[in-house]
Amino acid sequence: MNTVNMLRLVALAAIWGGSFLFMRIAAPVLGPAVLIEYRVLFAALFLAGVAWFMRLRGKGAPLELRQHWKHYLILGFFNSALPFLLFAFAARTLSASVLSVLNATAPMWGALVGVVWARQSLGGRAALGLLLGTAGVALLVGFDHVSERPGAFVAIGAALVAAFSYSIASQYAKSAKAVAPFANAHGSMWAATLCTIPALAFFPPPGEPTVGIMAAVLALGVVCSGIAYILYFKLIEEVGTTSALTVTFLNPMFGILWGALFLHEVIGWHTLVGSAIVLAGTALVTGFRPSFLRTPGAVQSK
């Protein structure tokens, strides 16, 4: 994790932390399906424009749909369409700060998926991290006032399943045939656009969008999906799946910050303590350790 990749990681965390703010703004008006269809379509169109510009400069990777269409569908469904829809569904009820912390459980789910999928062993530190993460989530949602809203626990379950879906996508990306990071981002957004269409019949928009709502949707599509996934797949290529997934370690800090600044969400003691416990669990599961705590001169494997 060199300086450039660390900057990518922080930028990605700030962008994805903002996605919960934008979903919280737009989901109650547009509904989850319309919101996410706009999000992935705008992302796909943005990435298509980037691809066209790159081809003009003699760069860029072709999608090679005939060869990789199944790969894009799997990635688009588990890494975009399904988790986006579930988080947008939950955003009608839960605060941006709670959503961002629930999203941080993805590496914990990733450890369990790794045990089943890749036959990886679950060490004592990882097991302790899973217990801490569970306790942190219970503390966060148990004392937060949003848990008293109608349908809150269904929304919490939806957000946790969304985080689980991210871990499936990351494990799949680790074992799938190598595809260029930009092609992964571009192809998966078009696939997610197709995968989201059936949901439109089940979640009609409850209200009419305003200019501000559409601005939030545009930010979700172009910045939080298009630009963010270019950064994300580049991180997977550079530092590996596990290290890239630690972006969720930083997401809650920005999710809580943006929610407090722009939505005036209350940051209670349970928010801070629950988030800290979840992040401590995430650190144990992923083996995250800040560079200043490492032994000087130690050689780090990539």
Side-chain angles (χ1 to χ4, degrees), residues 177-246:
K177 186 183 299 183
V179 176
F182 181 82
N184 261 332
H186 187 193
S188 67
M189 283 299 105
W190 283 115
T193 302
L194 293 175
C195 291
T196 306
I197 290 175
L200 295 172
F202 299 96
F203 297 99
E208 291 293 328
T210 63
V211 173
I213 294 295
M214 292 309 298
V217 174
L218 189 62
L220 266 176
V222 174
V223 180
C224 299
S225 299
I227 294 174
Y229 274 122
I230 293 175
L231 290 172
Y232 178 62
F233 286 117
K234 185 62 177 177
L235 278 171
I236 288 179
E237 182 183 56
E238 291 285 328
V239 301
T241 303
T242 301
S243 295
L245 200 59
T246 58

Side-chain angles (χ1 to χ4, degrees), residues 15-291:
I15 290 171
W16 271 346
S19 70
F20 302 106
L21 165 70
F22 296 132
M23 281 193 286
R24 182 71 182 127
I25 291 171
V29 176
L30 294 177
V34 173
L35 170 59
I36 299 310
E37 184 63 24
Y38 274 135
R39 176 179 183 176
V40 293
L41 178 60
F42 287 162
L45 291 172
F46 168 76
L47 292 172
V50 173
W52 175 78
F53 179 75
M54 292 172 69
R55 282 197 298 271
L56 288 180
R57 301 183 63 186
K59 299 179 180 179
L63 286 178
E64 298 179 324
L65 287 175
R66 184 175 298 178
Q67 185 177 356
H68 300 306
W69 68 270
K70 290 183 180 179
H71 167 73
Y72 294 139
L73 278 176
I74 294 172
L75 203 59
F77 180 77
F78 285 106
N79 205 56
S80 299
L82 180 59
F84 287 0
L85 280 168
L86 290 169
F87 272 124
F89 174 84
R92 300 181 305 173
T93 305
L94 305 180
S95 64
S97 57
V98 169
L99 288 169
S100 65
V101 176
L102 293 177
N103 179 68
T105 62
M108 301 177 204
W109 292 115
L112 294 177
V113 171
V115 170
V116 175
W117 188 324
R119 298 291 189 270
Q120 298 171 351
S121 60
L122 188 65
R125 283 170 57 91
L128 177 59
L130 289 172
L131 289 174
L132 279 176
T134 303
V137 169
L139 177 65
L140 176 73
V141 301
F143 285 89
D144 198 290
H145 68 90
V146 299
S147 63
E148 301 172 0
R149 298 173 183 172
F153 286 99
V154 175
I156 291 166
L160 290 173
V161 174
F164 177 71
S165 183
Y166 282 140
S167 67
I168 293 177
S170 294
Q171 195 66 234
Y172 166 75
K174 184 178 180 180
S175 59
K177 186 183 299 183
V179 176
F182 181 82
N184 261 332
H186 187 193
S188 67
M189 283 299 105
W190 283 115
T193 302
L194 293 175
C195 291
T196 306
I197 290 175
L200 295 172
F202 299 96
F203 297 99
E208 291 293 328
T210 63
V211 173
I213 294 295
M214 292 309 298
V217 174
L218 189 62
L220 266 176
V222 174
V223 180
C224 299
S225 299
I227 294 174
Y229 274 122
I230 293 175
L231 290 172
Y232 178 62
F233 286 117
K234 185 62 177 177
L235 278 171
I236 288 179
E237 182 183 56
E238 291 285 328
V239 301
T241 303
T242 301
S243 295
L245 200 59
T246 58
V247 66
T248 53
F249 188 88
L250 301 172
N251 281 352
M253 292 187 290
F254 288 101
I256 293 169
L257 176 62
W258 303 148
L261 285 177
F262 298 106
L263 298 179
H264 308 293
E265 295 177 354
V266 178
I267 303 176
W269 68 268
H270 56 277
T271 307
L272 299 177
V273 175
S275 301
I277 294 174
V278 169
L279 295 181
T282 302
L284 288 172
V285 167
T286 61
F288 177 84
R289 191 181 179 192
S291 59

